[in-house]
mmCIF file of all heavy atoms in Angstrom:
data_model
loop_
_atom_site.group_PDB
_atom_site.id
_atom_site.type_symbol
_atom_site.label_atom_id
_atom_site.label_comp_id
_atom_site.label_asym_id
_atom_site.label_seq_id
_atom_site.Cartn_x
_atom_site.Cartn_y
_atom_site.Cartn_z
ATOM 1 N N ILE A 989 10.668 -14.363 -3.259
ATOM 2 C CA ILE A 989 10.054 -13.133 -3.722
ATOM 3 C C ILE A 989 8.676 -13.131 -3.022
ATOM 4 O O ILE A 989 7.872 -14.005 -2.976
ATOM 5 C CB ILE A 989 9.875 -13.163 -5.265
ATOM 6 C CG1 ILE A 989 11.213 -13.277 -5.888
ATOM 7 C CG2 ILE A 989 9.075 -12.007 -5.762
ATOM 8 C CD1 ILE A 989 11.138 -13.783 -7.405
ATOM 9 N N LEU A 990 8.378 -11.815 -2.553
ATOM 10 C CA LEU A 990 6.966 -11.581 -2.080
ATOM 11 C C LEU A 990 6.144 -11.073 -3.285
ATOM 12 O O LEU A 990 6.209 -9.792 -3.564
ATOM 13 C CB LEU A 990 7.044 -10.526 -0.925
ATOM 14 C CG LEU A 990 7.340 -11.136 0.471
ATOM 15 C CD1 LEU A 990 6.117 -12.000 0.949
ATOM 16 C CD2 LEU A 990 8.590 -11.760 0.548
ATOM 17 N N ASP A 991 5.357 -11.916 -3.877
ATOM 18 C CA ASP A 991 4.428 -11.587 -4.945
ATOM 19 C C ASP A 991 3.120 -11.075 -4.309
ATOM 20 O O ASP A 991 2.208 -11.815 -4.149
ATOM 21 C CB ASP A 991 4.265 -12.822 -5.819
ATOM 22 C CG ASP A 991 3.680 -12.486 -7.182
ATOM 23 O OD1 ASP A 991 3.284 -11.256 -7.385
ATOM 24 O OD2 ASP A 991 3.512 -13.348 -7.990
ATOM 25 N N TRP A 992 3.191 -9.831 -3.982
ATOM 26 C CA TRP A 992 2.297 -9.228 -2.943
ATOM 27 C C TRP A 992 0.742 -9.436 -3.387
ATOM 28 O O TRP A 992 -0.056 -9.838 -2.625
ATOM 29 C CB TRP A 992 2.688 -7.788 -2.689
ATOM 30 C CG TRP A 992 1.961 -7.070 -1.582
ATOM 31 C CD1 TRP A 992 2.066 -7.377 -0.243
ATOM 32 C CD2 TRP A 992 0.955 -6.108 -1.721
ATOM 33 N NE1 TRP A 992 1.364 -6.473 0.479
ATOM 34 C CE2 TRP A 992 0.653 -5.676 -0.405
ATOM 35 C CE3 TRP A 992 0.452 -5.365 -2.686
ATOM 36 C CZ2 TRP A 992 -0.282 -4.705 -0.125
ATOM 37 C CZ3 TRP A 992 -0.467 -4.343 -2.475
ATOM 38 C CH2 TRP A 992 -0.839 -4.054 -1.136
ATOM 39 N N ASN A 993 0.497 -8.850 -4.463
ATOM 40 C CA ASN A 993 -0.972 -8.846 -4.789
ATOM 41 C C ASN A 993 -1.391 -10.137 -5.500
ATOM 42 O O ASN A 993 -2.560 -10.336 -5.671
ATOM 43 C CB ASN A 993 -1.278 -7.713 -5.807
ATOM 44 C CG ASN A 993 -2.606 -7.036 -5.520
ATOM 45 O OD1 ASN A 993 -2.949 -6.891 -4.363
ATOM 46 N ND2 ASN A 993 -3.272 -6.483 -6.550
ATOM 47 N N ASN A 994 -0.537 -11.115 -5.616
ATOM 48 C CA ASN A 994 -0.809 -12.484 -5.955
ATOM 49 C C ASN A 994 -0.828 -13.325 -4.612
ATOM 50 O O ASN A 994 -1.211 -14.571 -4.721
ATOM 51 C CB ASN A 994 0.049 -13.146 -6.981
ATOM 52 C CG ASN A 994 -0.200 -12.641 -8.283
ATOM 53 O OD1 ASN A 994 -1.353 -12.449 -8.655
ATOM 54 N ND2 ASN A 994 0.890 -12.522 -9.166
ATOM 55 N N HIS A 995 -0.633 -12.752 -3.510
ATOM 56 C CA HIS A 995 -0.761 -13.453 -2.173
ATOM 57 C C HIS A 995 0.044 -14.667 -2.114
ATOM 58 O O HIS A 995 -0.371 -15.774 -1.570
ATOM 59 C CB HIS A 995 -2.198 -13.745 -1.850
ATOM 60 C CG HIS A 995 -3.054 -12.603 -2.143
ATOM 61 N ND1 HIS A 995 -3.130 -11.406 -1.359
ATOM 62 C CD2 HIS A 995 -4.058 -12.365 -3.098
ATOM 63 C CE1 HIS A 995 -3.996 -10.550 -1.867
ATOM 64 N NE2 HIS A 995 -4.576 -11.121 -2.856
ATOM 65 N N ARG A 996 1.338 -14.590 -2.587
ATOM 66 C CA ARG A 996 2.121 -15.887 -2.684
ATOM 67 C C ARG A 996 3.597 -15.545 -2.293
ATOM 68 O O ARG A 996 4.009 -14.339 -2.423
ATOM 69 C CB ARG A 996 2.153 -16.352 -4.154
ATOM 70 C CG ARG A 996 0.851 -16.909 -4.604
ATOM 71 C CD ARG A 996 1.020 -17.210 -6.159
ATOM 72 N NE ARG A 996 -0.252 -17.668 -6.722
ATOM 73 C CZ ARG A 996 -0.546 -18.876 -7.124
ATOM 74 N NH1 ARG A 996 0.503 -19.673 -7.154
ATOM 75 N NH2 ARG A 996 -1.679 -19.197 -7.683
ATOM 76 N N VAL A 997 4.288 -16.526 -1.779
ATOM 77 C CA VAL A 997 5.708 -16.433 -1.713
ATOM 78 C C VAL A 997 6.238 -17.320 -2.815
ATOM 79 O O VAL A 997 5.834 -18.568 -2.946
ATOM 80 C CB VAL A 997 6.221 -16.970 -0.267
ATOM 81 C CG1 VAL A 997 7.698 -17.102 -0.280
ATOM 82 C CG2 VAL A 997 5.787 -16.079 0.815
ATOM 83 N N ARG A 998 7.201 -16.859 -3.597
ATOM 84 C CA ARG A 998 7.616 -17.519 -4.761
ATOM 85 C C ARG A 998 9.215 -17.584 -4.684
ATOM 86 O O ARG A 998 9.868 -16.784 -3.936
ATOM 87 C CB ARG A 998 7.156 -16.860 -6.043
ATOM 88 C CG ARG A 998 5.815 -16.680 -6.093
ATOM 89 C CD ARG A 998 5.190 -16.093 -7.371
ATOM 90 N NE ARG A 998 5.031 -17.033 -8.404
ATOM 91 C CZ ARG A 998 4.515 -16.764 -9.597
ATOM 92 N NH1 ARG A 998 4.104 -15.552 -9.822
ATOM 93 N NH2 ARG A 998 4.268 -17.675 -10.456
ATOM 94 N N SER A 999 9.730 -18.616 -5.340
ATOM 95 C CA SER A 999 11.229 -18.761 -5.308
ATOM 96 C C SER A 999 11.785 -18.946 -6.702
ATOM 97 O O SER A 999 10.943 -19.482 -7.610
ATOM 98 C CB SER A 999 11.560 -19.915 -4.301
ATOM 99 O OG SER A 999 11.184 -21.141 -4.773
ATOM 100 N N ILE A 1000 13.006 -18.767 -6.884
ATOM 101 C CA ILE A 1000 13.666 -19.022 -8.178
ATOM 102 C C ILE A 1000 14.743 -19.962 -7.776
ATOM 103 O O ILE A 1000 15.594 -19.716 -7.038
ATOM 104 C CB ILE A 1000 14.281 -17.778 -8.772
ATOM 105 C CG1 ILE A 1000 13.193 -16.756 -9.117
ATOM 106 C CG2 ILE A 1000 15.046 -18.112 -10.059
ATOM 107 C CD1 ILE A 1000 13.766 -15.452 -9.666
ATOM 108 N N SER A 1001 14.650 -21.202 -8.378
ATOM 109 C CA SER A 1001 15.641 -22.248 -8.236
ATOM 110 C C SER A 1001 15.710 -23.031 -9.482
ATOM 111 O O SER A 1001 14.776 -23.177 -10.290
ATOM 112 C CB SER A 1001 15.329 -23.260 -7.067
ATOM 113 O OG SER A 1001 14.033 -23.745 -7.226
ATOM 114 N N ASP A 1002 16.959 -23.502 -9.844
ATOM 115 C CA ASP A 1002 17.147 -24.222 -11.104
ATOM 116 C C ASP A 1002 16.773 -23.383 -12.419
ATOM 117 O O ASP A 1002 16.213 -23.951 -13.245
ATOM 118 C CB ASP A 1002 16.448 -25.534 -11.015
ATOM 119 C CG ASP A 1002 17.031 -26.461 -9.957
ATOM 120 O OD1 ASP A 1002 18.206 -26.372 -9.656
ATOM 121 O OD2 ASP A 1002 16.253 -27.218 -9.288
ATOM 122 N N GLY A 1003 16.764 -22.110 -12.113
ATOM 123 C CA GLY A 1003 16.298 -21.267 -13.234
ATOM 124 C C GLY A 1003 14.938 -21.030 -13.549
ATOM 125 O O GLY A 1003 14.544 -20.427 -14.577
ATOM 126 N N LEU A 1004 14.036 -21.542 -12.611
ATOM 127 C CA LEU A 1004 12.615 -21.529 -12.865
ATOM 128 C C LEU A 1004 11.897 -20.831 -11.618
ATOM 129 O O LEU A 1004 12.484 -20.913 -10.490
ATOM 130 C CB LEU A 1004 11.984 -22.791 -13.127
ATOM 131 C CG LEU A 1004 12.540 -23.571 -14.274
ATOM 132 C CD1 LEU A 1004 11.996 -25.038 -14.382
ATOM 133 C CD2 LEU A 1004 12.216 -22.801 -15.678
ATOM 134 N N VAL A 1005 10.753 -20.304 -11.734
ATOM 135 C CA VAL A 1005 10.026 -19.749 -10.756
ATOM 136 C C VAL A 1005 9.054 -20.825 -10.181
ATOM 137 O O VAL A 1005 8.290 -21.381 -10.981
ATOM 138 C CB VAL A 1005 9.272 -18.479 -11.132
ATOM 139 C CG1 VAL A 1005 8.352 -17.816 -10.007
ATOM 140 C CG2 VAL A 1005 10.276 -17.450 -11.688
ATOM 141 N N HIS A 1006 8.934 -20.812 -8.789
ATOM 142 C CA HIS A 1006 8.100 -21.821 -8.217
ATOM 143 C C HIS A 1006 7.306 -21.142 -7.107
ATOM 144 O O HIS A 1006 7.785 -20.060 -6.530
ATOM 145 C CB HIS A 1006 8.803 -23.028 -7.527
ATOM 146 C CG HIS A 1006 9.928 -23.497 -8.367
ATOM 147 N ND1 HIS A 1006 9.750 -24.582 -9.308
ATOM 148 C CD2 HIS A 1006 11.269 -23.233 -8.500
ATOM 149 C CE1 HIS A 1006 10.816 -24.858 -9.878
ATOM 150 N NE2 HIS A 1006 11.801 -24.000 -9.363
ATOM 151 N N THR A 1007 6.093 -21.520 -6.744
ATOM 152 C CA THR A 1007 5.188 -21.005 -5.709
ATOM 153 C C THR A 1007 5.612 -21.923 -4.470
ATOM 154 O O THR A 1007 5.635 -23.142 -4.609
ATOM 155 C CB THR A 1007 3.786 -21.048 -5.961
ATOM 156 O OG1 THR A 1007 3.486 -20.087 -6.954
ATOM 157 C CG2 THR A 1007 2.972 -20.695 -4.652
ATOM 158 N N LEU A 1008 6.017 -21.218 -3.342
ATOM 159 C CA LEU A 1008 6.346 -21.956 -2.171
ATOM 160 C C LEU A 1008 5.220 -21.898 -1.127
ATOM 161 O O LEU A 1008 4.971 -22.949 -0.493
ATOM 162 C CB LEU A 1008 7.658 -21.185 -1.568
ATOM 163 C CG LEU A 1008 8.342 -21.892 -0.505
ATOM 164 C CD1 LEU A 1008 9.138 -23.089 -1.051
ATOM 165 C CD2 LEU A 1008 9.317 -20.920 0.222
ATOM 166 N N ILE A 1009 4.532 -20.752 -0.973
ATOM 167 C CA ILE A 1009 3.507 -20.628 -0.065
ATOM 168 C C ILE A 1009 2.337 -19.885 -0.604
ATOM 169 O O ILE A 1009 2.677 -18.830 -1.272
ATOM 170 C CB ILE A 1009 3.975 -19.854 1.326
ATOM 171 C CG1 ILE A 1009 5.286 -20.513 1.887
ATOM 172 C CG2 ILE A 1009 2.915 -19.811 2.309
ATOM 173 C CD1 ILE A 1009 5.911 -19.687 2.958
ATOM 174 N N GLY A 1010 1.180 -20.251 -0.451
ATOM 175 C CA GLY A 1010 -0.019 -19.546 -0.817
ATOM 176 C C GLY A 1010 -0.751 -20.175 -1.948
ATOM 177 O O GLY A 1010 -0.176 -20.714 -2.896
ATOM 178 N N THR A 1011 -2.071 -20.061 -1.911
ATOM 179 C CA THR A 1011 -2.948 -20.492 -3.009
ATOM 180 C C THR A 1011 -3.154 -19.549 -4.090
ATOM 181 O O THR A 1011 -3.556 -19.843 -5.133
ATOM 182 C CB THR A 1011 -4.259 -20.891 -2.432
ATOM 183 O OG1 THR A 1011 -4.999 -19.785 -1.972
ATOM 184 C CG2 THR A 1011 -4.145 -21.983 -1.309
ATOM 185 N N GLY A 1012 -2.866 -18.150 -3.700
ATOM 186 C CA GLY A 1012 -3.223 -17.106 -4.668
ATOM 187 C C GLY A 1012 -4.569 -16.481 -4.299
ATOM 188 O O GLY A 1012 -4.825 -15.343 -4.833
ATOM 189 N N SER A 1013 -5.278 -17.145 -3.479
ATOM 190 C CA SER A 1013 -6.529 -16.482 -3.030
ATOM 191 C C SER A 1013 -6.402 -15.976 -1.638
ATOM 192 O O SER A 1013 -5.495 -16.325 -0.863
ATOM 193 C CB SER A 1013 -7.635 -17.594 -2.937
ATOM 194 O OG SER A 1013 -7.839 -18.213 -4.220
ATOM 195 N N LEU A 1014 -7.243 -14.963 -1.332
ATOM 196 C CA LEU A 1014 -7.218 -14.257 0.034
ATOM 197 C C LEU A 1014 -7.634 -15.296 1.078
ATOM 198 O O LEU A 1014 -8.610 -15.992 0.796
ATOM 199 C CB LEU A 1014 -8.105 -13.034 0.011
ATOM 200 C CG LEU A 1014 -7.599 -11.839 -0.663
ATOM 201 C CD1 LEU A 1014 -8.708 -10.806 -0.730
ATOM 202 C CD2 LEU A 1014 -6.388 -11.229 0.047
ATOM 203 N N GLY A 1015 -6.972 -15.260 2.172
ATOM 204 C CA GLY A 1015 -7.412 -16.190 3.314
ATOM 205 C C GLY A 1015 -6.737 -15.743 4.592
ATOM 206 O O GLY A 1015 -6.032 -14.665 4.707
ATOM 207 N N ASP A 1016 -6.867 -16.578 5.630
ATOM 208 C CA ASP A 1016 -6.421 -16.274 6.903
ATOM 209 C C ASP A 1016 -5.134 -16.922 7.338
ATOM 210 O O ASP A 1016 -4.768 -16.892 8.565
ATOM 211 C CB ASP A 1016 -7.592 -16.777 7.986
ATOM 212 C CG ASP A 1016 -8.842 -16.012 7.793
ATOM 213 O OD1 ASP A 1016 -8.764 -14.862 7.359
ATOM 214 O OD2 ASP A 1016 -9.894 -16.609 8.045
ATOM 215 N N ALA A 1017 -4.353 -17.346 6.302
ATOM 216 C CA ALA A 1017 -3.064 -17.949 6.662
ATOM 217 C C ALA A 1017 -3.080 -19.050 7.662
ATOM 218 O O ALA A 1017 -2.407 -19.057 8.671
ATOM 219 C CB ALA A 1017 -2.041 -16.955 7.069
ATOM 220 N N PRO A 1018 -3.983 -20.110 7.472
ATOM 221 C CA PRO A 1018 -4.103 -21.125 8.440
ATOM 222 C C PRO A 1018 -2.830 -21.997 8.449
ATOM 223 O O PRO A 1018 -2.095 -22.156 7.422
ATOM 224 C CB PRO A 1018 -5.272 -22.045 8.016
ATOM 225 C CG PRO A 1018 -5.350 -21.744 6.511
ATOM 226 C CD PRO A 1018 -4.788 -20.318 6.342
ATOM 227 N N ASP A 1019 -2.523 -22.613 9.578
ATOM 228 C CA ASP A 1019 -1.434 -23.584 9.719
ATOM 229 C C ASP A 1019 -1.738 -24.808 8.831
ATOM 230 O O ASP A 1019 -2.877 -25.137 8.631
ATOM 231 C CB ASP A 1019 -1.189 -24.038 11.158
ATOM 232 C CG ASP A 1019 -0.591 -22.897 12.070
ATOM 233 O OD1 ASP A 1019 -0.415 -21.841 11.517
ATOM 234 O OD2 ASP A 1019 -0.466 -23.108 13.256
ATOM 235 N N GLY A 1020 -0.636 -25.444 8.339
ATOM 236 C CA GLY A 1020 -0.872 -26.574 7.450
ATOM 237 C C GLY A 1020 0.016 -26.570 6.283
ATOM 238 O O GLY A 1020 1.056 -25.844 6.238
ATOM 239 N N LEU A 1021 -0.359 -27.398 5.292
ATOM 240 C CA LEU A 1021 0.331 -27.411 4.032
ATOM 241 C C LEU A 1021 0.474 -25.981 3.396
ATOM 242 O O LEU A 1021 -0.489 -25.303 3.265
ATOM 243 C CB LEU A 1021 -0.287 -28.342 3.063
ATOM 244 C CG LEU A 1021 0.484 -28.728 1.747
ATOM 245 C CD1 LEU A 1021 1.714 -29.532 2.096
ATOM 246 C CD2 LEU A 1021 -0.407 -29.534 0.782
ATOM 247 N N ALA A 1022 1.738 -25.606 3.107
ATOM 248 C CA ALA A 1022 1.934 -24.236 2.606
ATOM 249 C C ALA A 1022 1.232 -23.959 1.330
ATOM 250 O O ALA A 1022 0.771 -22.772 1.249
ATOM 251 C CB ALA A 1022 3.479 -24.090 2.424
ATOM 252 N N LEU A 1023 1.163 -24.799 0.392
ATOM 253 C CA LEU A 1023 0.510 -24.498 -0.827
ATOM 254 C C LEU A 1023 -1.070 -24.487 -0.749
ATOM 255 O O LEU A 1023 -1.697 -24.093 -1.655
ATOM 256 C CB LEU A 1023 0.977 -25.570 -1.892
ATOM 257 C CG LEU A 1023 2.452 -25.415 -2.341
ATOM 258 C CD1 LEU A 1023 2.838 -26.509 -3.352
ATOM 259 C CD2 LEU A 1023 2.618 -24.017 -3.150
ATOM 260 N N ALA A 1024 -1.538 -24.979 0.455
ATOM 261 C CA ALA A 1024 -2.977 -24.918 0.715
ATOM 262 C C ALA A 1024 -3.336 -23.767 1.688
ATOM 263 O O ALA A 1024 -4.542 -23.577 1.950
ATOM 264 C CB ALA A 1024 -3.513 -26.168 1.220
ATOM 265 N N SER A 1025 -2.246 -22.974 2.118
ATOM 266 C CA SER A 1025 -2.588 -21.932 3.055
ATOM 267 C C SER A 1025 -2.751 -20.558 2.339
ATOM 268 O O SER A 1025 -1.824 -20.050 1.754
ATOM 269 C CB SER A 1025 -1.379 -21.819 4.048
ATOM 270 O OG SER A 1025 -1.630 -20.833 4.962
ATOM 271 N N SER A 1026 -3.959 -20.044 2.410
ATOM 272 C CA SER A 1026 -4.255 -18.703 1.662
ATOM 273 C C SER A 1026 -3.773 -17.655 2.506
ATOM 274 O O SER A 1026 -4.070 -17.571 3.711
ATOM 275 C CB SER A 1026 -5.780 -18.650 1.360
ATOM 276 O OG SER A 1026 -6.107 -19.653 0.458
ATOM 277 N N LEU A 1027 -2.980 -16.701 1.849
ATOM 278 C CA LEU A 1027 -2.492 -15.637 2.578
ATOM 279 C C LEU A 1027 -3.194 -14.280 2.209
ATOM 280 O O LEU A 1027 -4.000 -14.319 1.273
ATOM 281 C CB LEU A 1027 -0.996 -15.390 2.191
ATOM 282 C CG LEU A 1027 -0.063 -16.556 2.359
ATOM 283 C CD1 LEU A 1027 1.317 -16.318 1.754
ATOM 284 C CD2 LEU A 1027 0.097 -16.902 3.823
#
């Protein structure tokens, strides 16, 4: 799921919602750990 205004990529697996990419803060999408990359 593209959670657009939360600046995150999220997924549904095992019946629960997880954040896959993004800190939730605006940023420059730097390379590196996905959960530390602000989109």
Side-chain angles (χ1 to χ4, degrees):
I989 301 165
L990 272 299
D991 195 356
W992 189 69
N993 220 33
N994 283 325
H995 314 291
R996 296 171 184 244
V997 175
R998 308 179 84 176
S999 65
I1000 299 176
S1001 60
D1002 300 322
L1004 299 175
V1005 177
H1006 316 271
T1007 296
L1008 193 71
I1009 308 172
T1011 64
S1013 299
L1014 286 171
D1016 296 329
D1019 291 358
L1021 187 66
L1023 288 175
S1025 183
S1026 296
L1027 305 172

